Amino acid sequence: MSAAAPPAEIDVRPGEVAVAAPTRADACLQFIGRLRTPWKERRDCPRQGDHVNGPLCRVELDAPWRPGLKGVGQHGHLQILYWMHLARRDLVEQSPRHNGLTMGTFALRSPIRPNPVSASLVALIEVHDDHLVVRGLDCVDGTPLIDIKPEKCPEAPVPKAPAA
Amino acid sequence: MSAAAPPAEIDVRPGEVAVAAPTRADACLQFIGRLRTPWKERRDCPRQGDHVNGPLCRVELDAPWRPGLKGVGQHGHLQILYWMHLARRDLVEQSPRHNGLTMGTFALRSPIRPNPVSASLVALIEVHDDHLVVRGLDCVDGTPLIDIKPEKCPEAPVPKAPAA
């Protein structure tokens, strides 16, 4: 499932600069689960996640990878990597304020980027055999999961989840 | 270039648990550049990057994507996403201390994971048309680049690079 044509509402804004979207498969990802969040549409998603006060979300893991959760409860924060599957991939300059003034894609955290991978800090709330409960996600419900790692950089101390 | 057979020195240690390595291509990455670091072999790499005192490294960007660097100099820290191209992808439990005691892959920052993407915090030191100079990488020289984003979570304040 490579990036499909972007939805109709994601047009190029005045001043934005597009190049040829990536078509080479230098490396391939196999999704290992999905994220369950309250946001059913892209437009409902918050600008960024809140690992202190954001809503509880689930990180669901497919069966082969569940043993990989052993010991994850030792960590109060995790880094969740996911694939922004609704994002177009071809803009090098973007106008986030719709005003013709542009910034380079790498100076923005826009989902629109050549490889739409997001790496988000979450607080770990609960550990289960097949999923985690976390705070701090900001993506649409059903977003594909790429990876889970301990987070090296907590922005604020929160109580650790009970050890798994 | 999907994951090739892992190098001979990366054997399964006592207690480690392997599953079938990913073979599905749910999404594909197109590398957008490469990282130039002092470490020519995996065994030379530091355990983790040091964005305060680590060596200067380069983030080289392929030509189509260079306009994406516009404005990146406003940010003192960046998140660099790269593909750990030498990592095997099939272990769900690992024994980092070689002692038979294992942790789940998702409780570790080991390069060995189903989708070997790393997201590292770096301090931005210099901005050039076709590359950045940064501190904080920990990967082997020539590692493929996936993405560059502003970092939301600086661990320590450092002077901002001059605006690009």
Side-chain angles (χ1 to χ4, degrees):
Chain A
M1 179 171 75
S2 57
E9 73 271 15
I10 307 177
D11 296 322
V12 178
R13 298 166 183 164
E16 296 194 325
V17 178
V19 296
T23 52
R24 245 176 28 228
D26 293 325
C28 294
L29 303 170
Q30 178 168 318
F31 302 147
I32 61 171
R34 68 213 48 77
L35 304 176
R36 305 310 311 278
T37 77
W39 307 293
K40 301 302 181 191
E41 305 287 336
R42 284 173 49 118
R43 59 180 174 266
D44 302 329
C45 295
R47 193 171 175 80
Q48 63 182 52
D50 180 346
H51 65 93
V52 179
N53 297 309
L56 296 177
C57 299
R58 290 167 62 118
V59 179
E60 294 182 350
L61 206 57
D62 291 339
W65 308 105
R66 291 172 188 165
L69 292 178
K70 178 183 175 185
V72 79
Q74 300 180 19
H75 302 287
H77 295 83
L78 301 174
Q79 192 178 49
I80 304 296
L81 278 72
Y82 55 89
W83 181 257
M84 294 180 283
H85 60 302
L86 301 176
R88 61 188 299 161
R89 299 174 67 175
D90 59 344
L91 299 185
V92 286
E93 291 189 42
Q94 302 180 41
S95 182
R97 298 190 186 202
H98 303 245
N99 59 3
L101 299 177
T102 62
M103 295 288 286
T105 286
F106 305 123
L108 299 165
R109 287 191 75 92
S110 163
I112 301 174
R113 41 207 334 105
N115 294 302
V117 177
S118 182
S120 292
L121 168 69
V122 300
L124 179 56
I125 307 302
E126 295 174 17
V127 179
H128 300 264
D129 289 344
D130 60 352
H131 73 278
L132 306 175
V133 178
V134 303
R135 292 191 200 274
L137 293 178
D138 59 358
C139 54
V140 74
D141 187 38
T143 290
L145 175 67
I146 295 172
D147 194 25
I148 304 166
K149 303 187 217 281
E151 172 61 58
K152 289 185 294 190
C153 175
E155 283 175 298
V158 292
K160 265 198 202 169
Chain B
M1 180 171 76
S2 55
E9 73 271 17
I10 306 177
D11 295 321
V12 178
R13 298 167 183 164
E16 297 195 325
V17 179
V19 296
T23 52
R24 247 176 24 227
D26 292 325
C28 294
L29 303 170
Q30 177 167 316
F31 301 146
I32 60 171
R34 67 215 46 77
L35 305 176
R36 306 308 312 278
T37 76
W39 306 294
K40 301 302 181 190
E41 305 287 336
R42 283 173 51 115
R43 58 178 176 268
D44 302 327
C45 296
R47 191 170 177 81
Q48 66 181 50
D50 181 345
H51 65 93
V52 179
N53 297 309
L56 296 177
C57 300
R58 289 166 63 116
V59 179
E60 294 182 350
L61 206 57
D62 292 339
W65 307 104
R66 290 171 189 165
L69 292 177
K70 179 182 175 186
V72 80
Q74 300 180 17
H75 302 286
H77 295 83
L78 301 174
Q79 191 178 51
I80 305 297
L81 276 71
Y82 54 89
W83 182 257
M84 294 181 283
H85 60 303
L86 300 176
R88 61 187 298 160
R89 298 174 67 174
D90 59 343
L91 298 185
V92 285
E93 291 189 41
Q94 303 180 40
S95 181
R97 301 189 184 200
H98 305 245
N99 59 3
L101 299 179
T102 62
M103 294 287 285
T105 287
F106 305 124
L108 299 165
R109 287 191 74 93
S110 161
I112 300 175
R113 43 207 331 108
N115 294 302
V117 176
S118 182
S120 291
L121 167 70
V122 300
L124 179 57
I125 307 303
E126 295 173 18
V127 179
H128 300 266
D129 288 346
D130 60 351
H131 73 279
L132 306 174
V133 178
V134 302
R135 290 189 201 278
L137 292 178
D138 58 359
C139 55
V140 73
D141 186 41
T143 291
L145 175 67
I146 295 173
D147 193 25
I148 304 166
K149 303 187 218 279
E151 173 61 58
K152 290 185 294 190
C153 174
E155 284 176 295
V158 293
K160 265 195 202 171

